[in-house]
Amino acid sequence: MGEFDLIETFFKRPPRHATLGVGDDCALLAVKSGQQLAISSDMLVEGRHFLSTVSPAHLGHKALAVNLSDLAACGAEPKAFLLSLALPEVQPQWLAEFSKGLWALADLYQCDLIGGDTTRGPLNICITVMGEVPAYQALLRRGAQVGDDIYVSGHLGDARLALEVFRGHLSVPQSVFDTARLRMEKPTPQVALGMALRGLAHAAADISDGLLGDLQHILKASGVGAEIHIAQVLSTMACAKSSGLPEEVLLPLCLSGGDDYELVFTAPEHQRGAIVAASEAASTHVTRIGKIIASPQLTLLDSQGSSVANTFSSFDHFKTP
Ligand code: ADP
Ligand code: MG
């Protein structure tokens, strides 16, 4: 099978929103009046972002999910994406499963695959996603205000737990591993929540490199600091109790584990009811984990309210520990 048969067989479908999809030199996308286009790109490299043990269907899902998570962080509604693939060889079975995982998630959000690039090379998947957001309503990192509550969506730490089990650093019961592995390989982007937070949240980011690191981006961009209650953060971890692991092992997974694809966001206290309503409307739970403060540092507090040393570091591709 050649390059063009491959594209035709696995990656071409009539677009729903786009004016022109796969098959020409450019795709064409019309943006509705009063909307802005939100654009983001994420690359997945074997050995770096995923293990060779991952199923192709989960890989197809995850490649799009991590991109949709960036749209979610901005409160944008997914519309279209580009897929650039480097493949060592053409394996129709692998491509069939990969595209199945990809299309299932794309269909869920009616997000059109409108083009991309296909080349031979070490396995590498790069997706660029585009979404719409009403003009000037995008959630940004820079809007956090002193006194804001800080929230996270869903579960933190479970994906990193699975990675540490894969690496042989931790061991947990099989059923716990299965749950954690699914969180790592098949994350759910918080698209509905992001959209529901428009006009409510002052600032937001998605958690890809670990809570503390991604929260730091909000703090830096907004010129503020934060106090975080570590027990609240730990309470979000789905596998915490059933893992049988002690708190000192679990805490770094939640605070700086990464690969969570949840949202961290801030909102004023008077919006607490509205935030609960937004999370219910989006069928996800949110946990209030702290407050924005004026002093520009990130302080961790234990259940007695005493500060705990912050020795947790987030993932950075180029930093050596
Ligand atoms: P060009 O050489 O003009 O850049 P290509 O020959 O690489 O275009 O691709 C042909 C068409 O197939 C283009 O419309 C391109 O966007 C699309 N395409 C290429 N690879 C993919 C892919 N992996 N998924 C979806 N569309 C693709
Ligand atoms: Mg061309």
Side-chain angles (χ1 to χ4, degrees), residues 33-319:
S33 116
Q35 305 275 319
Q36 287 174 315
L37 204 55
I39 306 170
S40 181
S41 194
D42 258 316
M43 181 154 51
L44 265 67
V45 176
E46 182 166 1
R48 200 81 218 166
H49 300 96
F50 60 92
L51 305 172
S52 56
T53 46
V54 67
S55 75
H58 283 174
L59 191 57
H61 173 101
K62 186 164 178 177
L64 183 56
V66 303
N67 276 277
L68 293 175
S69 177
D70 284 311
L71 288 185
C74 289
E77 184 176 2
K79 292 289 169 188
F81 67 105
L82 298 166
L83 169 68
S84 296
L85 264 182
L87 300 168
E89 58 191 331
V90 176
Q91 284 184 346
Q93 183 63 31
W94 189 95
L95 280 159
E97 285 173 38
F98 174 85
S99 59
K100 203 170 153 197
L102 183 82
W103 287 123
L105 189 62
D107 287 346
L108 200 61
Y109 294 104
Q110 309 229 327
C111 193
D112 290 334
L113 173 53
I114 57 169
D117 199 19
T118 306
T119 173
R120 188 190 287 270
L123 184 57
N124 189 329
I125 304 150
C126 182
I127 287 183
T128 300
V129 80
M130 284 151 271
E132 276 183 1
V133 61
Y136 310 109
Q137 285 187 35
L139 306 175
L140 304 178
R141 294 176 175 185
R142 63 170 181 241
Q145 290 175 24
V146 174
D148 276 1
D149 293 319
I150 303 170
Y151 297 84
V152 294
S153 67
H155 305 291
L156 298 181
D158 301 287
R160 183 57 182 263
L161 173 65
L163 180 62
E164 294 306 323
V165 174
F166 264 116
R167 286 173 167 168
H169 296 168
L170 295 174
S171 110
V172 294
Q174 184 65 40
S175 63
V176 175
F177 175 61
D178 291 343
T179 306
R181 181 177 183 176
L182 211 55
R183 293 276 309 149
M184 177 175 90
E185 294 185 349
K186 206 164 174 274
T188 306
Q190 294 283 6
V191 173
L193 180 64
M195 288 169 64
L197 290 175
R198 289 177 195 157
L200 289 178
H202 280 159
D206 74 320
I207 306 174
S208 50
D209 297 329
L211 168 66
L212 296 184
D214 289 312
L215 174 60
Q216 275 291 6
H217 296 314
I218 291 180
L219 302 182
K220 197 166 166 224
S222 307
V224 294
E227 281 178 351
I228 297 296
H229 297 277
I230 55 178
Q232 292 300 101
V233 177
L234 192 58
S235 77
T236 68
M237 188 174 181
C239 296
K241 285 205 179 71
S242 45
S243 72
L245 296 167
E247 204 173 296
E248 62 269 25
V249 172
L250 297 173
L251 206 49
L253 306 178
C254 299
L255 289 173
S256 59
D259 240 9
D260 300 299
Y261 303 103
E262 296 293 350
L263 300 184
V264 52
F265 60 95
T266 83
E269 242 181 68
H270 69 86
Q271 296 286 21
R272 281 184 186 176
I275 296 293
V276 171
S279 78
E280 281 168 3
S283 308
T284 188
H285 69 272
V286 298
T287 306
R288 193 146 42 82
I289 59 164
K291 279 230 151 288
I292 295 291
I293 56 169
S295 152
Q297 59 232 0
L298 209 173
T299 305
L300 302 180
L301 302 172
D302 65 17
S303 46
Q304 272 76 53
S306 314
S307 84
V308 179
N310 182 356
T311 53
F312 307 94
S313 65
S314 274
F315 188 74
D316 182 320
H317 284 283
F318 294 103
K319 221 150 100 187

Side-chain angles (χ1 to χ4, degrees), residues 3-4 6-7 11-12 21-27 82-85 113-118:
E3 180 185 331
F4 299 102
L6 182 161
I7 295 165
F11 300 118
K12 190 168 178 179
V22 168
D24 217 304
D25 291 308
C26 289
L82 298 166
L83 169 68
S84 296
L85 264 182
L113 173 53
I114 57 169
D117 199 19
T118 306

